[in-house]
Amino acid sequence: MAKAKKAKKTKRIRRSRKQVRVAFVGAGGRARRVHYPSLAANPDAKIVAVSDLDEERLQTVTEEYGIPGRYTDYKQMIEKEKPDVVYAIMSPQYLYDVAATVLEMVRNLVVEKPPAINSEQTRQLAILARKNKALTGVTFQRRYCPVVRRGKALCEKRGPVHSAGSTFYKHAVGGSPYSRGAIDILSVDAVHAVDTLRY
């Protein structure tokens, strides 16, 4: 009897599950290298539309991933496509207005780190998300890497971690400024070292 109830419950969950409709604002290098491939490989997600100001990049990404919706105006894209979630992947100095608009249009939002140029912008985005009951996410991948998880688990076999260090090496010597100097390295890339250390 218990097995029959469990099987019935599982069937109901499977029937109610739907693909998440995803729209992208941004077809740049970071989005194309990381976000598009991972979502395209996820059977629970469907990329329905992309918006980018660069029409060549827009054409390339929509053809590569077979994405039907192609827009140069992200607001028009959101109004027409009504996605479940919007990925806004762009340099941080351009992100705030786009992210705030997406939240005001009552859409769930995923952004790259950092979520804004400063803590006040981040606070304002959090206020907008709460007001519009939107789910939000900032992509931090390093703490979820199997090698990091496994390493931490091996250390914890001997007891709780009592001291740890984390270092960031990319662009350590002679690198050009991030976003043409609009933001510092710690807020953009090196924050992965901070997040990993927090984990």
Side-chain angles (χ1 to χ4, degrees):
M1 182 72 169
K3 281 186 181 179
K5 281 184 181 178
K6 189 175 181 181
K8 206 178 234 185
K9 188 176 182 181
T10 305
K11 280 184 182 177
R12 198 172 337 155
I13 290 169
R14 285 190 185 143
R15 268 197 303 259
S16 66
R17 190 178 200 170
K18 65 170 192 154
Q19 274 190 319
V20 175
R21 293 171 45 82
V22 180
F24 269 89
V25 182
R30 163 60 72 193
R32 287 195 324 261
R33 281 190 311 274
V34 179
H35 299 287
Y36 285 97
S38 64
L39 285 167
N42 186 338
D44 293 330
K46 178 172 177 56
I47 306 172
V48 296
V50 182
S51 174
D52 197 282
L53 296 175
D54 184 317
E55 296 204 23
E56 187 177 321
R57 287 192 320 201
L58 189 56
Q59 181 175 342
T60 301
V61 77
T62 53
E63 287 176 1
E64 185 177 349
Y65 292 99
I67 303 166
R70 185 186 298 182
Y71 298 83
T72 54
D73 181 334
Y74 73 93
K75 294 177 210 170
Q76 182 186 43
M77 174 187 71
I78 293 168
E79 286 169 1
K80 187 172 179 186
E81 301 289 344
K82 299 189 181 352
D84 298 312
V85 62
V86 176
Y87 274 63
I89 310 297
M90 62 197 65
S91 294
Q93 71 268 32
Y94 307 120
L95 181 60
Y96 182 81
D97 285 337
V98 173
T101 301
V102 169
L103 293 171
E104 286 170 343
M105 294 178 82
V106 193
R107 294 290 147 202
N108 299 315
L109 175 69
V110 175
V111 299
E112 262 288 344
K113 51 39 178 153
I117 290 286
N118 58 50
S119 57
E120 181 56 23
Q121 286 183 346
T122 305
R123 191 175 80 80
Q124 291 301 324
L125 290 175
I127 290 168
L128 282 172
R130 275 193 302 275
K131 178 182 172 186
N132 294 295
K133 295 180 174 57
L135 299 175
T136 58
V138 180
T139 61
F140 277 105
Q141 308 93 307
R142 305 301 196 276
R143 68 165 63 192
Y144 300 103
C145 289
V147 68
V148 173
R149 296 269 163 163
R150 178 79 174 129
K152 185 171 183 274
L154 287 171
C155 289
E156 288 175 332
K157 279 185 175 180
R158 294 180 170 215
V161 176
H162 57 78
S163 59
S166 186
T167 306
F168 187 79
Y169 293 105
K170 184 176 165 187
H171 293 296
V173 180
S176 58
Y178 279 78
S179 299
R180 294 172 45 204
I183 195 161
D184 62 287
I185 186 174
L186 178 60
S187 300
V188 180
D189 259 354
V191 73
H192 279 302
V194 176
D195 186 62
T196 303
L197 186 59
R198 287 180 67 235
Y199 166 70

